[in-house]
Amino acid sequence: MVKLVLANSWPRAADALVVGLVEGADGPELVGLPPAWAKREARRELSQAVELVQAEATVGQVKIVPVGSTRVVLAGLGPQRPTSERLRQAAGAALRALGALRRQPAKHVVLSLGWDRPEDLKAIAEGALLGLYRYAGQPGAQAPAPSGPSVQKITLLVEASPLHQRSVELAQAVAEAVCATRDLVNQPPNQLYPAVLAEIAQKVATQRGLGCQVWEPAALAEQGYGGLLAVGGGSQRGPRLVQLTWRPRGAKSHVALIGKGITFDSGGVNLKPRESMSTMRCDMAGAAACLSTIAAAARLDLKVKLTAWLPLAENLPSGSAYRPSDVIQLYGGATVENYNTDAEGRLVLADALRRAAEDKPDLMVDIATLTGACMVALGLSTIGLMASDDVVADQLMDAAEAAGEPMWHLPITEEAERALRSTVADLRSGGPREGGALVAAAFLRRFTESIPWAHLDIAGPAFNEGEPQGHTPVGGTGAGVRSLIALLTSLAG
Ligand code: BES
Ligand code: ZN
Ligand code: ZN
C-alpha cells in the first residue's frame, strides 16, 4: 500500500499538492495553503488559476493546475467547516485524479486541506487511500491499461502528535479493509466461488492470528444446515460455512458478524431477468465485509471478542437446484416454505444466524446484499438498517455517522411479519413485493433467538454501476466496512 506520513514542513521530493477550496462570499476561497506557498506570489498565482480553470468549491470537484514543477489539485470542500465525510470525499476525488495522470505522474503528494483535528485527519487519510484504489485483477493477469496509480507516498502536513499518529494508523487499517472488500467483490464469479473464498478466509486468518473453521458440504449435511445446502445445491461448486474468531485478552463483549456470501446469484430456477444478473458477483459483499472487518479488528488489536460467520453458496439453476415451494429444514430444525429461489440470501443467513446465536454473543450484526426493495426505498448509496430494538439501532446509526456512511433505520412491521405465514411449514420465506426489505428482516429476526441484533441491507451501496465519485470507485465499494469497524472500535472502548 501507499506510504502515508505526517510532517510539519514541505518535503523536498514532493511533486504534487492538494489544497482545499471552500465556498466564500466572493467565490471559492483557498484553504490549507502550506506556509511556503502562502507567500504572496504563489498565493496570487494560485488564486488566478482558480479563476482561469473555473475551479469549484463543490465537494468532489477537482481541478489540477501546474505551478512550477508541482501539480496543484484544487479540491472542493463545500461550505466553510466541512464535515469529516466531506473532507474524505474531497481527498478521495483529489487522489483519484492524481492517480489517473499518465504523462507526468505524481509520485509524492502533499495533502493540506486546512483542517487538522485528529478525526479530520483520519477522514482525509482514509479518503486519500480509498480514492487511489484500483482493481488490479488476478495476480499475474494483464494489468488493466493504463497500469496502476503512480502515487507512492502521501504526506499530511500537520504538527504530528500521538493522537494524529493514531488517526493515521486507524485510517490505514480502515482503508485496507475497505479495499480488500472491494477486491473480493470485483473478482469474477468463475474464479471466486465458495471454496475459494473459504480458502482466502483461511489465509487471512493465518496472517492475522484468527481462529478459522470451514464446514464442507458433508459436514453441513451432517449438522442440518438445510438453507446452505438447498441454495448451494444447484451449483457444481458446493457451499461452505466459514467461522472466524478473534479472542483478545481483556475483551468486555462478544459480537457476532454474519455476512451473506452468495458468490453469484442468478436467481436460481426463478432466474433473474437480463440486466439484473450482470452485477450479481456482488452478492458476497456482506461476507467480504465481515472477513475484512474481523481482520482489521485483529490488526488494530481491538479489545472485543468477535466471531464472523460466512455462509457461502452459489445460486444457480440446474437439475439439482432447489425449487419455489420446496419445504426446507434449516439449521436448528425450523421448516421453511420456499417462496422464490431468488430469495436465497435469507435462507443461508438463517442457518448462520441460528448457529451464531448458540454461542450467546452480546450482539449480532448481519450484513447482506439482500433485497432490491431496499434499493427502491433508499436509493443506491444508503444502507438500510433494521434491528431488534431502538437501542441497537442507535448504536449502529452512531457508528455509521462516525464513519461517514449514509444509513437509515427502517421498521420491521406487523404487516411484514404477516407475510411469513405458511400453511405447510413453520414459516414462508417471503410474500408480496411491497415492503420487501422489511419482510426479509422479519424473516431473519426469527433466527436470532432474541439476542440483540442489527441487520444491514447493502444491496444498493455495495456495488457502483455508475461513475466513480469522491472516494467511491466503480464496482465493489466496501460499503458497511467503515461502519462496522467504527462500531467495534466504540465497543472496544
Ligand atoms: N441478491 C439479490 C438482491 C440484490 C438486488 C442485491 C440488486 C443487489 C442488487 C437478492 O437475492 C434477491 O434477488 N432478492 C429478491 C427477493 C425477492 C425474490 C423476495 C429481490 O430483491 O427481488
Ligand atoms: Zn436472489
Ligand atoms: Zn442474492
Side-chain angles (χ1 to χ4, degrees):
M1 215 180 213
V2 183
K3 213 170 153 194
L4 197 73
V5 298
L6 299 176
N8 57 7
S9 64
W10 183 261
R12 281 260 177 80
D15 51 12
L17 166 67
V18 181
V19 292
L21 276 185
V22 293
E23 289 165 12
D26 305 318
E29 281 172 19
L30 283 162
V31 289
L33 268 193
W37 287 72
K39 280 187 268 143
R40 289 193 48 207
E41 321 86 82
R43 174 178 277 279
R44 193 175 321 121
E45 206 173 324
L46 265 183
S47 302
Q48 280 168 357
V50 169
E51 183 141 359
L52 279 172
V53 301
Q54 297 187 326
E56 286 173 41
T58 315
V59 184
Q61 291 284 345
V62 294
K63 284 273 158 59
I64 305 183
V65 295
V67 176
S69 59
T70 310
R71 255 84 76 227
V72 179
V73 185
L74 305 162
L77 297 175
Q80 293 278 350
R81 180 65 257 174
T83 59
S84 292
E85 175 58 9
R86 279 202 258 136
L87 292 168
R88 193 183 279 107
Q89 295 287 3
L95 269 292
R96 186 153 39 72
L98 282 171
L101 290 180
R102 292 293 130 226
R103 294 246 180 95
Q104 291 178 296
K107 286 207 167 75
H108 182 172
V109 180
V110 175
L111 253 177
S112 179
L113 287 176
W115 274 274
D116 54 11
R117 293 180 311 175
E119 60 269 38
D120 293 337
L121 214 68
K122 172 172 176 277
I124 292 168
E126 266 177 30
L129 296 172
L130 294 177
L132 278 178
Y133 172 82
R134 180 123 17 126
Y135 176 57
Q138 284 282 97
Q142 217 181 352
S147 60
S150 52
V151 176
Q152 285 156 14
K153 189 171 177 183
I154 299 171
T155 297
L156 292 157
L157 267 199
V158 67
E159 202 68 53
S161 71
L163 264 181
H164 284 116
Q165 200 55 51
R166 179 68 183 160
S167 293
V168 170
E169 279 161 23
L170 269 169
Q172 279 171 313
V174 169
E176 180 187 75
V178 173
C179 293
T181 307
R182 292 173 177 177
D183 271 342
L184 288 171
V185 170
N186 287 333
Q187 281 206 32
N190 62 331
Q191 289 168 13
L192 188 104
Y193 45 93
V196 173
L197 188 44
E199 258 172 51
I200 294 173
Q202 270 167 325
K203 273 195 202 126
V204 171
T206 308
Q207 276 164 11
R208 291 284 174 210
L210 304 168
C212 183
Q213 193 184 339
V214 177
W215 284 255
E216 302 208 350
L220 292 172
E222 201 175 295
Q223 292 170 33
Y225 287 97
L228 268 162
L229 290 165
V231 172
S235 171
Q236 301 264 2
R237 294 163 163 176
R240 298 286 186 276
L241 176 65
V242 178
Q243 179 207 41
L244 295 152
T245 50
W246 165 240
R247 299 279 181 267
R249 272 170 207 276
K252 283 181 231 82
S253 59
H254 178 196
V255 179
L257 302 172
I258 301 97
K260 174 178 173 181
I262 302 299
T263 57
F264 186 72
D265 182 10
S266 69
V269 170
N270 295 110
L271 202 64
K272 284 183 181 292
R274 298 182 180 85
E275 294 79 26
S276 28
M277 212 187 290
S278 63
T279 60
M280 281 303 135
R281 69 177 183 283
C282 83
D283 217 19
M284 35 57 74
C290 291
L291 171 59
S292 308
T293 299
I294 195 170
R299 173 174 168 175
L300 292 167
D301 195 21
L302 296 184
K303 300 298 183 204
V304 51
K305 178 172 157 180
L306 293 176
T307 309
W309 294 94
L310 321 180
L312 309 174
E314 185 176 35
N315 188 19
L316 292 181
S318 79
S320 58
Y322 77 137
R323 290 155 287 258
S325 77
D326 275 357
V327 172
I328 299 154
Q329 186 164 37
L330 300 182
Y331 182 81
T335 55
V336 177
E337 175 188 355
N338 186 40
Y339 157 67
N340 182 312
T341 61
D342 200 7
E344 81 298 335
R346 63 199 72 183
L347 299 179
V348 303
L349 285 170
D351 271 355
L353 278 167
R354 180 63 181 69
R355 173 61 190 84
E358 270 177 15
D359 304 338
K360 306 228 176 308
D362 302 295
L363 173 66
M364 302 203 286
V365 182
D366 78 72
I367 174 165
T369 45
L370 203 58
T371 66
C374 199
M375 299 167 76
V376 173
L378 296 177
L380 296 176
S381 43
T382 302
I383 299 172
L385 160 67
M386 284 139 273
S388 52
D389 59 83
D390 287 351
V391 176
V392 174
D394 288 348
Q395 268 182 304
L396 269 294
M397 285 297 284
D398 290 349
E401 163 102 42
E405 286 195 294
M407 187 181 284
W408 196 255
H409 184 191
L410 299 170
I412 306 176
T413 56
E414 278 299 318
E415 181 189 345
E417 184 61 38
R418 279 199 296 276
L420 304 178
R421 286 184 193 155
S422 169
T423 52
V424 297
D426 294 328
L427 73 170
R428 214 162 96 108
S429 62
R433 279 175 29 180
E434 292 80 10
L438 323 182
V439 175
F443 182 88
L444 296 180
R445 185 170 60 181
R446 297 279 192 102
F447 301 89
T448 60
E449 306 281 292
S450 302
I451 287 170
W453 155 79
H455 158 59
L456 304 178
D457 195 328
I458 55 168
F463 199 85
N464 177 16
E465 281 188 87
E467 292 295 304
Q469 218 178 24
H471 52 68
T472 308
V474 172
T477 63
V481 171
R482 277 154 51 206
S483 297
L484 288 177
I485 297 177
L487 173 76
L488 300 177
T489 310
S490 83
L491 289 173

